[in-house]
Amino acid sequence: MSTFWSVWISVIVLGSILGCAWLILATRKGERFKDSTEETTGHSFDGIEEYDNPMPMWWLKLFWLTIIFGIIYLIIYPGLGTFKGVAGWTSHGQWSDEIVAADQKYAPLYAELAAQDPEQLMNDEEALGIGQRLFANNCSVCHGSGGRGNVGFPNLTDDEWLYGGSHEKILETLLNGRQALMPAWQDALGAEGITQVAHYVRSLSGQKNVDETLAQAGAAKFQQNCVVCHGANGEGNEAFGAPSLSDSIWLYGGTQNIVEMTLRYGRKGRMPNFEEVLGEDRLYVLAAYVKSLSQQK
Ligand code: HEC
Ligand code: HEC
């Protein structure tokens, strides 16, 4: 915060507090704390007149108390521009204290769970409940609350995996994150080549509305350019996170338009890593939960 804004805020805050105090003093009646008078303010409406009585004592005292409270608060806590307050409190400090306390409290619980077999965790209601809460807080923004995914974000409830569906592979995904690289083919294949290959790709998954001639021309180009990553029959390759093209599950979509778009510009799906955010023990439990999603019938 620049000095100008710091001073600006301090002046407004202190000015308002002092202004309130001034208002109380300035409107004080001459005869202090008298209970009531017969004087009126002169306002009258429908024959009802307004008495000119002083504020009730309890109300005034409360008002003074809030003013004193406000000033003490501003001395102890940050509130006046860049002044940090004598207590040295920060929201970030409180947050990290709470994190440390929570970690100390829950670490043994997670360590105990992480010592178990994944199979065991997948049959343990309590562990799955913990996994579900971790998932809701950290993963559902991208993968959906039920883990069903969305365009570009894989569905975790089917048993088709980009990088492998063993507990070990899922844990690896969570610990390190994943960065997919599907190259762009615009320059190498040209518009015509892309149309041909897209027809061929769609034929791999048994789509009916495919032009046979175009698909055949595309097959050769596929063998040349795509099999390294996607396999000779488009079965995919977990080492590259290259999806199977021979099933009807699509990460980005399987219409002619979308497949052409994928080919033209490439795709770079990124799964963030969570080792630092959640730690290995939590991720171990979470990986068991994710695996359990794909095995629900
Ligand atoms: C910022 C969005 C985002 C968040 C948050 C996120 N993911 Fe992902 N995740 C992705 C994307 C995108 C991919 C696919 C990467 C690719 O295209 O190769 C992915 C891939 C995965 C995979 C691999 C799926 C497969 O088929 O192999 C798993 C497992 C996974 N995520 C689990 C999780 C879990 C558990 C969490 C919470 C800790 C999480 N993700 C949080 C975006 C996200
Ligand atoms: C370097 C390895 C590599 C090569 C070569 C490659 N791909 Fe890919 N492809 C990938 C990866 C990795 C993804 C997943 C991208 C992501 O998750 O963001 C992908 C995704 C796709 C998709 C999207 C699938 C879906 O479910 O939406 C299509 C279609 C595709 N590739 C077709 C092709 C074709 C056709 C070729 C050859 C012209 C090709 N790829 C060449 C690695 C490759």
Side-chain angles (χ1 to χ4, degrees), residues 162-163 180-183 185 189 197 201 221-222 225-226 228-230 240-245 249-253 259 262-263 267-269:
L162 296 165
Y163 299 95
L181 177 63
M182 159 74 187
W185 296 96
L189 294 177
V197 177
V201 164
K221 299 191 164 89
F222 188 89
N225 299 298
C226 318
V228 226
C229 295
H230 288 283
F240 300 109
S244 160
L245 303 173
I249 298 173
W250 296 93
L251 185 55
Y252 295 100
V259 173
T262 298
L263 296 179
R267 300 281 189 185
K268 297 192 179 60

Side-chain angles (χ1 to χ4, degrees), residues 87-149:
W89 180 91
T90 62
S91 54
H92 188 267
Q94 174 167 357
W95 174 76
S96 44
D97 286 352
E98 282 167 13
I99 295 284
V100 170
D103 273 351
Q104 274 170 356
K105 188 164 153 205
Y106 295 115
L109 169 70
Y110 282 110
E112 199 178 301
L113 289 173
Q116 295 182 28
D117 230 41
E119 289 295 326
Q120 238 172 318
L121 294 181
M122 285 167 60
N123 292 312
D124 177 344
E125 288 296 322
E126 199 192 330
L128 291 181
I130 292 173
Q132 186 178 26
R133 281 191 292 280
L134 288 172
F135 192 88
N137 287 333
N138 298 283
C139 322
S140 55
V141 261
C142 293
H143 291 283
S145 54
R148 280 176 210 289

Side-chain angles (χ1 to χ4, degrees), residues 135 138-139 141-143 152-154 156 160-164 170 173-174 180 251-252 269-272 274 278 286 290:
F135 192 88
N138 298 283
C139 322
V141 261
C142 293
H143 291 283
F153 302 105
L156 305 174
E160 287 294 322
W161 300 91
L162 296 165
Y163 299 95
I170 296 175
T173 297
L174 302 183
L251 185 55
Y252 295 100
R270 191 178 88 89
M271 160 72 192
F274 280 87
L278 293 176
L286 184 51
V290 170

Side-chain angles (χ1 to χ4, degrees), residues 21-28:
W22 172 81
L23 197 66
I24 299 179
L25 293 173
T27 56
R28 192 171 50 171

